[in-house]
């Protein structure tokens, strides 16, 4: 190893106009936002909603969430995915928690397919926040994929009593399948974060 | 598929999630995870990431001295910041998106929740982006950011800094960090900077360079960034 990694630092409280400008009403185009699909994207259109909670259960209104996912056929928009990909689905989403009255993040996307043999559908997620000196990796799995979840190689490395923290519950109240994924940074129900 | 995983995050280089010091970064106390991270074998989900190129940035995105102008020039000391994005193996990282944001010369962010009583500059926005070239090199122009007070402890001031966000080649190489300026007396007093293990701190301090400095225009700073590199032994799937 010739070189040493550059240290991480917190995203701070003022990331919005640099990283999520359109969402917060600033005059700069956004690289990614909460709309991950468009109307014509193939697959099941879904919504993902959640909050970030601190060690006392308070909502965090200056966090930023990024998601990275495969398309409905399980393909990533990246040259290392040998199966090729759907050119109009990048699979990247980014949302701050500071514009919703309840400090939720929200992604409109498609349900990902299985990205590899034996792998349950999932979405990779990174949490950034003021007060978080290094970013934290986790994954969203889906409550309505119980059979696939049971054999997923990553979930099976998670202690059984903590697996629930990675599984988004489903409601259909808003007309589109909506998965709720609250992220607990600390506490009894602390979300599982990965050493990726 | 043959894919080569990345070396782990080097925790002797990164700040811990919860600052253990009594006079440390206070807001980490309730926000940093406290249970051990669960190690996972990197899969295609971590080994891929968003792809960028030179068409990913607009013409003025890399010039913060121009992208916020309304009726004149922004105030402050013009700077040009350049450097290379490399991995731990010393390999240049091309086509890496770098997003930057910062306070203006008076230490004021344009962000709506910044309460610091220093002037907004009507001609400075403070956000921009650039993409590394084939040799991993990036470059942007800006205004030297001012220091600003914050509420961590009595008379707390952040040193001059520019926030950086990089993707690198995969979701696993994601990095958000801050670049600091050489000789800043506030560095020694800043719990965010000193939350980094001591041996790694200097990596976030840019070098002044007279060679990069542009005659009659802008002071030059060099800031190289090292992302996680791929392991040398490939993983067979
Ligand atoms: Fe800052």
């Amino acid at each position: 190893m010739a070189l040493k990694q550059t240290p991480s630092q917190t995203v701070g409280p003022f990331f919005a106009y640099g990283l999520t400008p359109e969402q917060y009403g600033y005059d700069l185009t956004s690289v990614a936002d909460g709309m991950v699909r468009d109307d014509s994207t193939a697959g099941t259109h879904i919504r993902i909603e959640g909050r970030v909670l601190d060690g006392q259960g308070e909502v965090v209104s200056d966090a930023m969430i990024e998601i990275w996912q495969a398309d409905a056929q399980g393909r990533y928009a990246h040259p290392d995915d040998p199966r090729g990909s759907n050119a109009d689905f990048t699979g990247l989403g980014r949302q701050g928690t500071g514009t919703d009255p309840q400090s939720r993040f929200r992604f409109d996307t498609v349900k990902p397919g299985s990205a590899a043999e034996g792998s349950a559908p999932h979405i990779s997620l990174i949490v950034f926040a003021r007060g978080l000196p290094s970013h934290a990796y986790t994954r969203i799995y889906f409550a309505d994929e119980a059979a696939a979840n049971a054999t997923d190689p990553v979930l099976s490395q998670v202690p059984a009593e903590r697996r629930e923290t990675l599984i988004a519950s489903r409601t259909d109240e808003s007309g589109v399948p909506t998965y709720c994924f609250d992220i607990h940074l600390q506490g009894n129900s602390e979300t599982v974060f990965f050493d990726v | 598929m043959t894919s080569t995983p990345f070396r782990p995050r080097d925790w002797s280089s990164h700040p811990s999630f919860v600052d253990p010091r009594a006079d440390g970064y206070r807001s980490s106390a309730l926000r940093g995870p406290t249970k051990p991270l669960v190690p996972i074998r990197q899969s295609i989900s971590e080994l891929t990431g968003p792809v960028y190129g030179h068409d990913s940035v607009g013409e003025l995105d890399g010039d913060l001295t121009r992208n916020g102008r309304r009726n004149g020039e922004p105030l402050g000391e013009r700077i040009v910041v350049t450097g290379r994005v490399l991995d731990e193996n010393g390999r240049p990282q091309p086509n890496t998106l770098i997003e930057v944001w910062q306070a203006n010369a008076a230490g004021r962010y344009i962000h709506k929740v910044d309460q610091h009583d220093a002037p907004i500059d009507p001609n400075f926005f403070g956000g921009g982006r650039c993409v590394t070239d084939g040799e991993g090199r990036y470059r942007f122009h800006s205004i030297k950011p001012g220091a600003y007070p914050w509420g961590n402890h009595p008379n707390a001031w952040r040193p001059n800094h520019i926030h950086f966000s990089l993707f690198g080649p995969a979701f696993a190489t994601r990095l958000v960090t801050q670049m600091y300026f050489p000789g800043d007396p506030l560095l020694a007093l800043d719990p965010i900077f000193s939350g980094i293990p001591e041996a790694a701190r200097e990596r976030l301090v840019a070098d002044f360079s007279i060679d990069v400095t542009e005659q009659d225009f802008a002071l030059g700073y060099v800031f190289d960034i090292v992302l996680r590199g791929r392991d040398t032994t490939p993983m067979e799937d």
Side-chain angles (χ1 to χ4, degrees):
Chain A
M1 241 179 331
L3 300 171
K4 294 281 199 182
Q5 291 173 20
T6 297
S8 174
Q9 294 272 263
T10 176
V11 77
F14 305 131
F15 62 81
Y17 71 95
L19 296 181
T20 50
E22 289 175 35
Q23 181 194 346
Y24 285 73
Y26 295 102
D27 188 18
L28 180 71
T29 56
S30 291
V31 168
D33 56 23
M35 184 55 76
V36 185
R37 58 161 177 83
D38 59 32
D39 288 345
S40 64
T41 305
T44 306
H45 291 190
I46 64 169
R47 172 170 284 184
I48 293 175
E49 273 179 358
R51 298 169 303 164
V52 180
L53 299 133
D54 73 11
Q56 291 182 332
E58 300 288 326
V59 291
V60 174
S61 61
D62 48 13
M64 186 181 87
I65 303 298
E66 279 179 356
I67 61 167
W68 172 245
Q69 67 166 96
D71 68 11
Q73 295 184 60
R75 302 173 303 187
Y76 284 97
H78 190 277
D80 285 354
D81 191 325
R83 298 161 300 172
S85 71
N86 168 7
D88 60 30
F89 185 75
T90 64
L92 178 72
R94 182 189 273 175
Q95 274 270 284
T97 58
T99 60
D100 179 82
Q102 294 168 55
S103 301
R104 284 173 302 192
F105 57 86
R106 177 177 296 121
F107 294 102
D108 286 299
T109 184
V110 295
K111 184 111 174 268
S114 170
E117 181 93 27
S119 169
H122 64 270
I123 293 177
S124 298
L125 185 151
I126 301 179
V127 188
F128 303 90
R130 175 178 70 81
L132 205 52
S134 292
H135 58 274
Y137 287 94
T138 187
R139 284 184 174 196
I140 303 173
Y141 287 87
F142 299 91
D144 51 10
E145 296 284 350
N149 291 344
T151 57
D152 182 80
V154 169
L155 272 180
S156 64
Q157 283 173 57
V158 174
E161 70 279 9
R162 299 189 66 202
R163 276 179 211 156
E164 277 304 307
T165 69
L166 301 178
I167 297 174
S169 60
R170 173 172 169 169
T171 68
D172 290 347
E173 281 162 31
S174 60
V176 57
T178 299
Y179 295 89
C180 177
F181 190 76
D182 282 349
I183 297 163
H184 296 264
L185 294 173
Q186 287 183 358
N188 290 337
S189 44
E190 182 176 313
T191 298
V192 168
F193 297 102
F194 293 114
D195 198 6
V196 166
Chain B
M1 183 186 92
T2 301
S3 54
T4 313
F6 292 92
R7 295 175 194 280
R9 276 207 275 182
D10 170 11
W11 291 106
S12 72
S13 293
H14 301 295
S16 53
F17 285 127
V18 174
D19 193 330
R21 302 166 300 171
D23 56 352
Y25 181 24
R26 258 185 28 208
S27 53
S28 71
L30 286 173
R31 293 189 169 191
T34 57
K35 293 186 168 40
L37 299 181
V38 174
I40 59 172
R41 185 173 166 208
Q42 293 164 20
S43 72
I44 194 162
S45 306
E46 291 76 35
L47 294 168
T48 55
V51 175
Y52 296 99
H54 281 269
D55 53 358
S56 308
V57 293
E59 192 200 335
L60 288 182
D61 284 359
D63 191 347
L64 284 68
T65 72
R66 289 165 71 203
N67 72 4
R69 280 192 203 180
R70 282 196 220 150
N71 55 12
E73 297 248 5
L75 293 172
E77 209 171 87
R78 281 186 297 245
I79 59 173
V80 54
V81 180
T82 187
R84 295 178 81 195
V85 180
L86 304 161
D87 72 8
E88 288 168 283
N89 305 314
R91 295 198 186 99
Q93 303 294 296
N95 297 315
T96 282
L97 184 73
I98 301 180
E99 297 167 274
V100 295
W101 69 103
Q102 62 165 90
N104 69 20
R108 177 74 187 262
Y109 285 90
I110 205 141
H111 194 290
K112 289 160 186 133
V113 304
D114 185 0
Q115 298 294 311
H116 178 33
D117 181 23
I120 295 264
D121 182 338
N123 293 303
F124 188 71
F125 178 70
R129 56 180 84 105
C130 52
V131 172
T132 57
D133 67 13
E135 296 173 326
R137 210 171 296 279
Y138 72 91
R139 178 189 189 80
F140 64 93
H141 285 87
S142 191
I143 296 291
K144 188 172 181 185
Y148 58 85
W150 62 307
N152 193 70
H153 56 271
N155 214 10
W157 290 76
R158 292 298 330 278
N160 304 336
H161 63 277
I162 299 177
H163 295 266
F164 275 65
S165 165
L166 293 94
F167 276 96
F171 214 51
T173 56
R174 192 81 178 82
L175 178 71
V176 168
T177 189
Q178 302 181 26
M179 180 200 105
Y180 299 94
F181 290 83
D184 190 333
L186 292 170
L187 285 173
L189 303 172
D190 180 44
I192 292 182
F193 176 71
S194 63
I196 302 165
E198 191 169 1
R201 287 178 202 159
E202 284 303 306
R203 293 176 217 155
L204 291 188
V205 182
D207 290 320
F208 169 73
S209 167
I210 194 67
D211 297 323
V212 169
T213 295
E214 295 176 13
Q215 170 115 23
D216 301 326
F217 187 73
L219 291 173
Y221 290 91
V222 175
F223 181 54
D224 291 336
I225 296 161
V226 179
L227 303 178
R228 292 164 63 177
R230 291 183 195 269
D231 216 331
T232 43
T233 43
M235 167 178 84
E236 301 291 335
D237 270 348

